[in-house]
Amino acid sequence: MASLLDQLSAMTTVVADTGDLEAIRRLTPREATTNPSLILAAAQLPDYQELIDATLQQSRQVIGAAAPAEEVISEAIDELAVRFGEEILKVVPGRVSTEVDARLSYDTDATISKARRIVGRYEAAGLDRARVLIKIASTWEGIKAAEVLEREGIHCNLTLLFNLVQAVACAEAGVTLISPFVGRILDWHKKRTGRQSYPGPEDPGVCSVTRIFTYFKTFGHQTQVMGASFRNMEEIVELAGCDLLTIAPKFLDQLGRTEGVLARKLDPANLTDSPGARLQVNDRSFADLMAEDAMASEKLDEGIRGFSKAIEALEAQLGHRLAVLEGEAAFAHAAQEIFLLNDLDGDGTITREEWLGTDAVFDALDTDHDGCLKPEEIRSALGAPLALSAG
C-alpha cells in the first residue's frame, strides 16, 4: 500500500518547510520554503560552514574593506537567502519561498524595495522569477506591498496569516499564495481554553484553513492556499487536498513511514461547508476586523516579533563569524544575549510558547526533547564558532 506521503502528494503540492538541503534531497518535495530561522538552523551544520564563510567574505568585498560590520552582515543575509534558494531550486522542480526581513512588515515601500532586490539577485544568478515566491507578513502594509509586486510579475507568499480577513485581503490584492498557520492557532486556543487537545476535525487551525479554502473556491479566487505550521500528523491528514501544505521534515518522514488510506478532505469539486457572506475588505474594515479577533492580532504581532528575533540571532551569529574570519575579538556573550531575547519570563528556560521563532528551529535546539530550551542548549546549538570565545 502507498504511504500517506505518496497519497498526499497525489492530491496536494507538498512543500518542505526547511532550509536543510540534505533533508530536501532525501524527501523530494515539489517545493520548499525557508526563512532566517531555518537558515540559522541549517547554518549550525558543518556542511554549510564553507558556504557561510564564502558568503561573508564575498559580502565584505562587495561592501568594502572600511564598511561597518553591520552593512556586511546585511548584505550577507540577503546573499545567503538567495544562495540557499538557488541550491534548493536545483533539487525541487517547483518554487522556493524567500522571506523579506520581518522588521519591515509595517513598511510597504521598504518591503517592495527589499523584494525587488531579492528577486534581482535570483535573476542575476540566471533563475526565472517565476520560480521564486517572496514571503511577506500578512499585515495591511505587507498585503499592499504584495499587490504592487504581483503587478510587476514578482510572486508573493503571504505568511503569518491567521484568519479569513487576512486571507480575503490577500486574494483581492492578487497574491499568488497564502500560508495560513495551523499549529499556532491551535496553541492559542489550547492556552485560552485550558484544553490539552482537539480532535482533528475540531482543531481550530484546521477549521480556519478549511474555511479559507472553501471561501476561495466558492468565490473563484485564484490565490493558492498553503497550510503551514503543524503540531501533529492529524492536522495534516485533515487538510489533505489543500492546494499546498508546507511540512517540517519530521512529519514528512512520519508520513512516508505510515501506510493506510488517506481520504481527501478538501476538494474544490465537492465543497461541503458554506463559505458565509462575501467580505468587503479595505484598510478600515481590515483594521476593525483584526482588532475584533484577539487570536489573529496576537499571533500576527507575536510572529513578526519572533521572525525579527530570528533575524537578529542570525545577525549575531554572522557577526561573530565575520569577526573570527577577520581576526577580531569574538562576541563572548552572543549566545547569552540570544537566550535573553527569548526568555520572556526570566525563569532561565524558554518554553515553546515563549519561543517566537519557528518550530523547526525550536525542535533543532531542543536536543533533549523536553519541550524547553536551556542556556547550554542555545550555546551548543549556535555551534563551535560562538564557543571559541568561551574556550
Side-chain angles (χ1 to χ4, degrees):
M1 180 177 289
S3 70
L4 294 187
L5 181 58
D6 288 338
Q7 294 174 72
L8 180 65
S9 299
M11 64 183 78
T12 290
T13 298
V14 174
V15 179
D17 193 8
T18 179
D20 183 350
L21 297 174
E22 289 307 313
I24 293 170
R25 292 188 185 100
R26 174 172 54 80
L27 296 164
T28 63
R30 285 193 55 78
E31 300 189 356
T33 182
T34 188
N35 58 42
S37 294
L38 298 176
I39 292 174
L40 177 63
Q44 314 313 315
L45 304 175
D47 290 350
Y48 299 111
Q49 193 61 64
E50 184 176 341
L51 174 62
I52 300 293
D53 290 353
T55 303
L56 284 168
Q57 291 164 339
Q58 176 185 318
S59 297
R60 168 57 77 188
Q61 291 178 350
V62 169
I63 298 299
E70 291 80 4
E71 294 181 17
V72 177
I73 293 164
S74 178
E75 166 72 15
I77 286 176
D78 286 349
E79 184 63 21
L80 269 178
V82 172
R83 286 198 181 194
F84 270 88
E86 286 180 61
E87 293 302 314
I88 288 170
L89 289 175
K90 293 177 182 177
V91 181
V92 302
R95 303 166 295 190
V96 66
S97 291
T98 299
E99 186 173 299
V100 167
D101 189 330
R103 294 171 294 189
L104 306 179
S105 295
Y106 294 100
D107 189 328
T108 297
D109 291 340
T111 296
I112 292 170
S113 178
K114 176 68 83 170
R116 288 170 175 162
R117 289 200 297 274
I118 291 171
V119 169
R121 287 176 186 266
Y122 275 108
E123 292 182 324
L127 292 163
D128 189 335
R129 66 173 56 186
R131 297 195 68 198
V132 179
L133 291 169
I134 298 298
K135 284 180 71 176
I136 300 170
S138 299
T139 60
W140 181 255
E141 294 81 2
I143 294 168
K144 292 293 103 179
E147 187 172 26
V148 172
L149 293 167
E150 291 282 358
R151 289 200 296 264
E152 298 176 3
I154 297 175
H155 301 305
C156 299
N157 170 359
L158 272 288
T159 187
L160 293 176
L161 192 146
F162 299 98
N163 68 12
L164 184 62
V165 176
Q166 290 174 290
V168 172
C170 289
E172 293 181 348
V175 166
T176 296
L177 182 146
I178 60 170
S179 297
F181 279 25
V182 179
R184 296 195 188 197
I185 294 176
L186 174 64
D187 293 344
W188 190 91
H189 282 276
K190 286 171 65 176
K191 184 176 181 180
R192 178 61 62 96
T193 64
R195 290 181 60 168
Q196 296 301 307
S197 64
Y198 287 79
E202 299 175 16
D203 184 302
V206 169
C207 294
S208 178
V209 175
T210 300
R211 184 183 181 197
I212 291 168
F213 182 90
T214 300
Y215 185 99
F216 279 19
K217 304 314 175 187
T218 299
F219 293 114
H221 290 303
Q222 297 304 303
T223 298
Q224 295 177 302
V225 181
M226 180 170 74
S229 172
F230 295 106
R231 293 290 179 263
N232 54 64
M233 280 267 290
E234 196 171 6
E235 290 177 327
I236 298 169
V237 168
E238 288 298 326
L239 293 176
C242 193
D243 298 327
L244 306 93
L245 296 175
T246 180
I247 305 171
K250 67 177 181 179
F251 289 131
L252 290 174
D253 283 329
Q254 192 174 350
L255 287 164
R257 294 192 305 266
T258 305
E259 294 184 349
V261 176
L262 181 65
R264 181 165 192 159
K265 299 299 180 72
L266 301 184
D267 187 348
N270 185 29
L271 299 174
T272 58
D273 296 325
S274 169
R278 188 158 192 161
L279 295 179
Q280 300 297 321
V281 181
N282 54 39
D283 56 346
R284 177 65 64 84
S285 65
F286 182 90
D288 289 344
L289 291 169
M290 287 295 290
E292 294 173 7
D293 188 337
M295 179 277 296
S297 297
E298 291 174 17
K299 299 308 287 187
L300 175 61
D301 179 66
E302 178 186 279
I304 290 171
R305 286 187 285 116
F307 282 6
S308 297
K309 286 183 177 182
I311 297 172
E312 291 164 5
L314 183 56
E315 286 174 340
Q317 183 181 359
L318 294 180
H320 174 87
R321 187 60 188 168
L322 180 66
V324 170
L325 291 172
E326 297 184 342
E328 298 175 11
F331 300 118
H333 302 296
Q336 180 183 4
E337 291 171 1
I338 293 169
F339 185 85
L340 292 175
L341 280 172
N342 288 275
D343 182 17
L344 302 181
D345 60 8
D347 68 349
T349 63
I350 302 170
T351 64
R352 188 180 289 276
E353 288 183 353
E354 289 178 298
W355 181 253
L356 298 178
T358 68
D359 299 324
V361 174
F362 186 95
D363 291 337
L365 298 179
D366 185 18
T367 53
D368 60 5
H369 310 295
D370 66 348
C372 65
L373 304 180
K374 295 171 281 296
E376 56 269 23
E377 288 178 304
I378 299 290
R379 287 194 296 270
S380 174
L382 287 181
L386 287 179
L388 286 175
S389 58

